[in-house]
Amino acid sequence: MNLVLLGPPGAGKGTQANLICEKYNLSHLSTGDLLRAEITNKSEVGVKAKKIIDEGKLVSNDIIINVIKSYFNHNKNSNGYLLDGFPRNTEQAKLLDNLMLELEDKISCVIQLDVEEKYLKDRVLYRGKQEGRSDDNEETLLKRLDTYFNETMPLIKYYDEAKLIKKVSGVGEIMHINQSINSIIDQL
Ligand code: ATP
Ligand code: MG
């Protein structure tokens, strides 16, 4: 089983991804986390990525391809993958389609975590205080939201046409949202 989690910054993708991966024994692929690890290691990719992340833009597809390839090389023979933060634009979605062909596998479902914009600011600013992520500030958030609307939202249509989208409200208690997601997965 391979799942994609789609949603705006601060939707709770990472939180739900951890719960889903634990319950269904999936490998968590978070491109955001992988990029932040590169930044911490001060690698060449990390230095490039930090500048772009702090501008609220998408890191180039070339960088993402390398990050993803290296992840799959280190996580072979998995029971399945939970993709969190990837794909984020149409080109990446096509890349993923090809990757699935190579693995002789398919995307089981795309879970759209739906959160109205008015909740996102408080969540992201709160996380900024807790975790100190340099992109979790008001100015960068506005740019991240723009990027989400312009580049990532078209994927909802892309996957809807493939009959893969399941929409879940990401507002409310974490465990309640998680139950809604689990009941979708249990029907796959
Ligand atoms: P949240 O952490 O709340 O899910 P988010 O989706 O904005 O919010 P991450 O997924 O951690 O946060 O991504 C942080 C940043 O890393 C993005 O704003 C972007 O610059 C970069 N990034 C992450 N994934 C990708 C990707 N697939 N393609 C391009 N850039 C990416
Ligand atoms: Mg995240």
Side-chain angles (χ1 to χ4, degrees), residues 10 12-15 30 32-33 36 84-85 127 133:
K13 298 186 291 289
T15 305
S30 162
D33 288 349
R36 282 186 287 278
D84 159 11
R127 184 175 61 192
R133 256 176 70 172

Side-chain angles (χ1 to χ4, degrees), residues 31-54 59 63 67 133-135:
T31 41
D33 288 349
L34 293 173
L35 291 170
R36 282 186 287 278
E38 296 284 345
I39 293 174
T40 304
N41 293 335
K42 298 197 165 63
S43 69
E44 203 181 315
V45 162
V47 172
K48 272 193 206 163
K50 174 154 177 43
K51 188 171 169 287
I52 300 163
I53 289 174
D54 287 343
V59 170
I63 288 184
V67 164
R133 256 176 70 172
S134 61
D135 57 341

Side-chain angles (χ1 to χ4, degrees), residues 94-143:
K94 289 183 178 151
L95 191 90
L96 176 60
D97 288 342
N98 286 327
L99 200 73
M100 285 293 147
L101 281 177
E102 268 174 45
L103 296 172
E104 298 183 351
D105 210 335
K106 63 183 177 47
I107 301 168
S108 316
C109 178
V110 177
I111 297 163
Q112 181 195 347
L113 250 191
D114 186 43
V115 179
E116 284 169 69
E117 204 179 323
K118 65 178 180 193
Y119 298 106
L120 299 174
K121 188 172 132 192
D122 286 351
R123 288 188 184 187
V124 166
L125 295 186
Y126 179 75
R127 184 175 61 192
K129 272 193 211 143
Q130 298 286 311
E131 297 176 15
R133 256 176 70 172
S134 61
D135 57 341
D136 280 347
N137 62 71
E138 198 163 350
E139 192 191 346
T140 308
L141 174 64
L142 286 176
K143 292 185 193 144

Side-chain angles (χ1 to χ4, degrees), residues 135-177:
D135 57 341
D136 280 347
N137 62 71
E138 198 163 350
E139 192 191 346
T140 308
L141 174 64
L142 286 176
K143 292 185 193 144
R144 286 159 71 194
L145 284 171
D146 247 19
T147 305
Y148 178 75
F149 290 129
N150 294 324
E151 299 187 52
T152 309
M153 288 265 278
L155 293 186
I156 294 172
K157 184 159 175 267
Y158 182 86
Y159 286 123
D160 201 33
E161 281 167 2
K163 303 242 179 312
L164 286 174
I165 285 272
K166 296 276 184 217
K167 187 163 155 176
V168 173
S169 169
V171 181
E173 288 202 16
I174 289 173
M175 291 320 285
H176 184 231
I177 298 164

